[in-house]
Amino acid sequence: MELPEMESMASAIGLSVPVLRFLLCFAATIPVSFLHRFVPGGPAARHLYAAVTGAVLSYVSFGFSSNLHFVVPMLSGYASMVLSRKYCGIITFFAAFGYLIGCHVYYMSGDAWKEGGIDATGALMVITLKIISCVINYNDGLLKEEGLREAQKKNRLPQLPSLLEYCGYCLCCGSHFAGPVYEMKDYLEWTKRKGNWQPTKMGLSPSRYWATFRALLQAAICMGLYLYLVPHFPLSRFTEPVYQEYPIWKRLGYQYMSGFTARWKYYFIWSISEASIIISGLGFSGWTDSNPPKPRWDRAKNVDILGVELAKSSVQLPLVWNIQVSTWLRHYVYERLIQNGKKPGFFQLLATQTVSAVWHGLYPGYIIFFVQSATMIAGSRVLYRWQQASQTALLKKLLVLSNFAYTLLVLNYSSVGFLVLSFHETLAAYGSVYYIGTILPIVLILLGKIIKPARPARFKARKDE
């Protein structure tokens, strides 16, 4: 398509040319992923197809420089596995994140995204996580299984992947555009048609079409809702005098609607990526225990929309929002900071959220949001402990309702920082509602230190046994 035609199409639907080009390439990951199964020549040919199609889609979407940016952390990660297996995990973790931070600072991609532009840093974010998990799992291959966590046992790599396998994993059919993040071991088994993808004695082969159609239908609904809502709740309203004239309940309502509106854009993106991973077959994660058995596509799933919007507790949010990245953070940051024989605490939670903030970019809004999210989750845990220890059904229901309302309030209050990014606008929006979403979690955390509920009777009985 010639550039003038691209410009006219972009202007007709209200997008910039770079964003339209990205969306077209992003949508193309679905047919590209579908064709993966038909590639002749065995696993090597499939690895080559995955790597080449991913690189071509990146080139068309972002330009030649995007692939150069991907090559730097990819090659440094592979080199660390070849040269220093014992320390490759820690080396790659800091080297890959350091390069990503440098790109974030140089391109200031958050500003570009706010103004309708786009660059390759979003895809680099996904590739960074894939590289680190692959290298750490190769590092774990040196360790004995005794004492390892289940995730480490499942994902460890005893042997070094070939360079072709590694490139296919990193760029697979454009899956690095928006995720989801998956493990090297799963990718290798899928490509070789082993594990979950090995034909069963019953001949069961999961049909991908209905699940793909459902994901695409969800994507269409999400984009429709986003396009309808976004003109009514622009982020620019936070800096307009009319917003300051709102009563506090209306300001809180506007913060809720701003977060609610923005989430549908992410739901759309993740629904498209889910369709792509499902149609490729990589998203298949086994069969249900029902009769007849039904296929599960958990590996493709990155968000549970109702789970986010109706979360009863902030603790549930990492399990339903950006699911695969949350899983990555749990396996490669949170769990690895827990000392043997000790329980995790606020430090592990805060460190994990800080890594997530840095991964997104060094904008004050991101850092404030993820620090806020750590206190939000800690405050929600206090409410949950009180709820579990409550002796009456009425009190328990009130605490459940309180935790739901608390999550709704603090999540959407905090998300303003994630959306506006700048320090001044974030503090102005928080200050407009008297920092209620910052103060409330801290108060709950402090009260949790003072009001310590008694251990439920069933736990006492179990301990006595």
Side-chain angles (χ1 to χ4, degrees):
M1 183 181 291
E2 296 295 326
L3 185 59
E5 295 179 10
M6 182 77 79
E7 288 179 347
S8 61
M9 181 185 294
S11 61
I13 57 179
L15 296 174
S16 64
V17 172
V19 170
L20 177 60
R21 190 184 298 116
F22 166 78
L23 289 175
L24 291 174
C25 291
F26 187 42
T29 61
I30 297 174
V32 167
S33 299
F34 172 73
L35 293 173
H36 183 276
R37 75 175 83 175
F38 301 110
V39 176
R46 296 186 197 117
H47 290 308
L48 182 62
Y49 175 82
V52 170
T53 54
V56 169
L57 287 171
S58 294
Y59 169 74
V60 174
S61 181
F62 306 117
F64 181 71
S65 63
S66 67
N67 286 323
L68 291 180
H69 282 307
F70 302 155
V71 163
V72 173
M74 284 171 61
L75 288 184
S76 64
Y78 196 80
S80 72
M81 290 193 289
V82 172
L83 299 174
S84 180
R85 184 173 187 179
K86 187 176 181 180
Y87 301 105
C88 61
I90 192 72
I91 291 171
T92 300
F93 187 95
F94 286 103
F97 261 103
Y99 187 80
L100 176 63
I101 291 168
C103 289
H104 274 314
V105 171
Y106 181 79
Y107 287 103
M108 298 301 287
S109 51
D111 291 334
W113 297 340
K114 283 176 66 178
E115 295 170 5
I118 199 164
D119 56 44
T121 51
L124 181 60
M125 289 165 64
V126 176
I127 286 179
T128 298
L129 299 190
K130 293 171 80 171
I131 292 169
I132 292 172
S133 64
C134 175
V135 175
I136 289 179
N137 287 322
Y138 181 61
N139 193 172
D140 285 347
L142 287 173
L143 307 176
K144 295 181 179 179
E145 286 201 7
E146 294 81 6
L148 295 182
R149 294 184 174 85
E150 288 304 314
Q152 289 178 286
K153 293 178 184 178
K154 177 181 179 294
N155 298 319
R156 65 201 294 264
L157 299 170
Q159 296 180 333
L160 177 70
S162 71
L163 187 59
L164 180 60
E165 291 171 336
Y166 179 74
C167 291
Y169 162 73
C170 290
L171 299 173
C172 183
C173 302
S175 62
H176 60 293
F177 275 22
V181 178
Y182 47 81
E183 300 292 350
M184 169 63 92
K185 192 170 183 180
D186 291 331
Y187 168 79
L188 292 175
E189 290 183 349
W190 167 66
T191 306
K192 296 174 182 177
R193 306 298 187 255
K194 294 182 178 180
N196 278 336
W197 298 273
Q198 187 172 6
T200 63
K201 295 180 180 178
M202 295 183 291
L204 287 174
S205 178
S207 174
R208 315 167 193 190
Y209 301 113
W210 168 244
T212 302
F213 173 76
R214 187 173 56 192
L216 289 173
L217 179 62
Q218 179 176 286
I221 293 171
C222 292
M223 178 50 69
L225 278 169
Y226 176 72
L227 292 176
Y228 172 77
L229 290 169
V230 74
H232 299 287
F233 302 99
L235 296 177
S236 58
R237 183 70 52 80
F238 287 111
T239 58
E240 295 174 0
V242 65
Y243 174 78
Q244 301 301 327
E245 295 172 3
Y246 290 163
I248 186 171
W249 63 266
K250 193 170 182 179
R251 289 180 220 159
L252 286 169
Y254 195 87
Q255 289 186 358
Y256 168 77
M257 287 307 301
S258 295
F260 179 76
T261 299
R263 285 194 290 277
W264 291 102
K265 176 176 65 176
Y266 294 97
Y267 296 155
F268 163 75
I269 292 291
W270 287 331
S271 297
I272 293 291
S273 66
E274 183 177 335
S276 176
I277 296 295
I278 289 173
I279 200 67
S280 73
L282 178 55
F284 178 62
S285 53
W287 298 90
T288 64
D289 295 328
S290 61
N291 189 17
K294 297 179 181 179
R296 292 187 290 111
W297 303 97
D298 299 339
R299 192 173 289 104
K301 196 173 185 63
N302 226 358
V303 69
D304 176 354
I305 297 176
L306 291 179
V308 173
E309 300 302 332
L310 302 176
K312 294 180 180 179
S313 165
S314 302
V315 180
Q316 295 177 353
L317 291 174
L319 305 177
V320 292
W321 171 267
N322 209 353
I323 296 170
Q324 304 305 330
V325 171
S326 296
T327 301
W328 188 96
L329 288 167
R330 183 172 73 251
H331 289 164
Y332 299 103
V333 182
Y334 186 83
E335 291 180 349
R336 292 171 188 261
L337 291 175
I338 302 172
Q339 296 180 7
N340 290 333
K342 293 188 177 181
K343 293 183 178 180
F346 184 69
F347 167 74
Q348 285 79 13
L349 177 60
L350 182 60
T352 303
Q353 295 302 93
T354 302
V355 170
S356 183
V358 171
W359 178 69
H360 281 84
L362 296 184
Y363 282 89
Y366 287 147
I367 296 171
I368 293 171
F369 169 79
F370 284 103
V371 172
Q372 274 274 140
S373 66
T375 60
M376 174 180 71
I377 292 171
S380 186
R381 285 175 175 169
V382 173
L383 285 172
Y384 180 76
R385 286 197 296 269
W386 291 346
Q387 170 193 325
Q388 290 299 102
S390 58
Q391 300 297 317
T392 64
L394 178 60
L395 180 58
K396 180 170 285 192
K397 288 180 180 179
L398 286 174
L399 286 168
V400 169
L401 182 61
S402 298
N403 211 343
F404 170 74
Y406 164 86
T407 299
L408 203 67
L409 169 68
V410 181
L411 170 64
N412 291 287
Y413 162 93
S414 303
S415 66
V416 175
F418 189 94
L419 299 174
V420 301
L421 298 182
S422 80
F423 184 74
H424 172 73
E425 289 182 67
T426 300
L427 288 190
Y430 289 179
S432 70
V433 292
Y434 308 105
Y435 300 98
I436 186 172
T438 301
I439 295 171
L440 189 55
I442 294 173
V443 169
L444 282 173
I445 292 170
L446 294 175
L447 285 176
K449 302 289 185 183
I450 300 170
I451 307 173
K452 296 183 178 181
R455 192 182 291 258
R458 63 178 180 273
F459 290 110
K460 287 183 178 178
R462 194 177 300 167
K463 190 174 181 181
D464 291 339
E465 292 173 2

